[in-house]
Amino acid sequence: MGSGQLARMFALEAIPNGYEVSVYSPEQNSPAGGVGAKEFVFDYEDKDALLSFLRSIDALTFEFENIPDFALSTIEDFERNSDLIVRPSTSCIRIAQNRWKEKSAFREAGIPTVNFFSVFTEQDKNDVPKKVGYPCILKTNTMGYDGKGQVKCKSEDELITALSSLKELNHIVEEFFPFTSEASVIFARFQDGTISHYRPSLNIHKNHILDLTFHPGNFPSMIETKLVDYAKKLAEKIDYIGVFGIEFFIKEDRILCNEFAPRPHNSGHFSQDSGSLSQFSLQLRTLCNLPAPTEIPVRPVTMKNILGEDYKPESKLWMETLKNPHFRLHLYGKTEARKGRKMGHWNYSGPKPESAFEHWE
Ligand code: AMP
């Protein structure tokens, strides 16, 4: 489901392995279509088209979590009456697309989070400003990503004002955590419960969008162990089969989990050039019951995202960079370079990975 860059990079793994890949989304000439995936170009609400797509495939996976409820229910009905393999399960997708369910699942799995409160009713709207600590962040409960739909409030008055302007009540309020670093773990769990994962990465965001990933993040070993343990706890608690990315805030020895994405994650793109299996290979293997690798060797990689405003294929910087064999360019085949749009990424795997992009500003 979906035909953007994550579907493209999945197809680039699956097609050379002999699989046929079909993608479903309303987008024509999609990134995945550009590398040989068969496109089903229909609305997510078009039941007949979705059913004919589902009939044409053996196994289904997702490149994004914000699948409309109607499409998810259609998939669930179809799956009950067919042999279609769906990984991860739609129940995992439903958890990931709802911040309240997601953070509650973390808590139930024993994974620490910031304090959070739901704002689903008028009563919640009155009560929450008195309960929450400040500063706090008001977030939409669903359909939020890259900081969209978020308002930071420094005081009770600011939160009351923000809440009073809401048109509908489907939100959460979270306490702000003054973290010093953000980390993520790319984690895979196979049908028989076997797991594979990379070492945790360090992520740097710019304007709420991922800018750089340093892999491995070289956190103290106690922190690394905890991050991986939390990923495993989540996978087992919600019986996850497939690949996911899970994101954490860290301050000294305090770790809080922010969110997880039920699919390969932008912060896992380093894995394409880390001298081992990529996160898309793990996605394919978990989906098609291929063996789990016995280990994932680590080669340091620094990943830098290319957003629309930085998409400069003819610039001197790009040309010089392409001369250096330690850099690899991955582009997503998008023709329109809008501001903030993810167009591609660079992976650097050579000497001094920590300073690979230092001179880029
Ligand atoms: P999200 O959409 O929840 O991933 O939030 C986007 C970004 O906003 C995160 O990567 C953080 O940089 C920041 N952020 C979100 N929630 C919090 C929080 N509770 N405390 C501090 N920073 C936050």
Side-chain angles (χ1 to χ4, degrees), residues 57-59 78-86:
I57 58 175
D58 299 306
F78 184 87
E79 188 190 2
R80 267 192 290 277
N81 302 306
S82 74
D83 295 330
L84 181 69
I85 291 168
V86 180

Side-chain angles (χ1 to χ4, degrees), residues 10 19 37 124 140 148 155 164 166 169 188 196 219 286 292-293 300 306:
F10 172 78
Y19 292 92
D124 296 337
T140 52
K148 290 190 172 57
S155 63
S164 66
L166 297 180
L169 296 181
S196 289
F219 297 100
T286 51
I306 302 167

Side-chain angles (χ1 to χ4, degrees), residues 99 103 114-115 137 139 144-148 150 174-179 182 205 208 247 249 258-259:
R99 288 189 197 276
K103 287 198 156 59
V114 291
N115 287 329
I137 306 180
K139 298 184 176 182
Y145 65 96
D146 288 345
K148 290 190 172 57
Q150 300 191 5
E174 284 181 18
E175 288 177 7
F176 181 82
F177 180 58
F179 59 83
E182 291 189 80
H205 292 80
H208 293 288
E247 296 182 276
F249 300 145
N258 180 34
E259 61 182 0

Side-chain angles (χ1 to χ4, degrees), residues 174-234:
E174 284 181 18
E175 288 177 7
F176 181 82
F177 180 58
F179 59 83
T180 48
S181 53
E182 291 189 80
S184 61
V185 177
I186 307 298
F187 196 92
R189 185 164 172 269
F190 290 70
Q191 194 192 18
D192 65 0
T194 313
I195 60 166
S196 289
H197 63 85
Y198 303 89
R199 279 180 60 190
S201 301
L202 169 69
N203 299 322
I204 312 285
H205 292 80
K206 218 161 72 180
N207 303 323
H208 293 288
I209 303 178
L210 184 66
D211 179 31
L212 290 164
T213 294
F214 296 93
H215 179 80
N218 292 320
F219 297 100
S221 66
M222 188 207 50
I223 299 271
E224 283 212 11
T225 306
K226 273 196 181 170
L227 295 174
V228 172
D229 182 51
Y230 290 150
K232 184 161 179 269
K233 281 196 159 99
L234 176 69

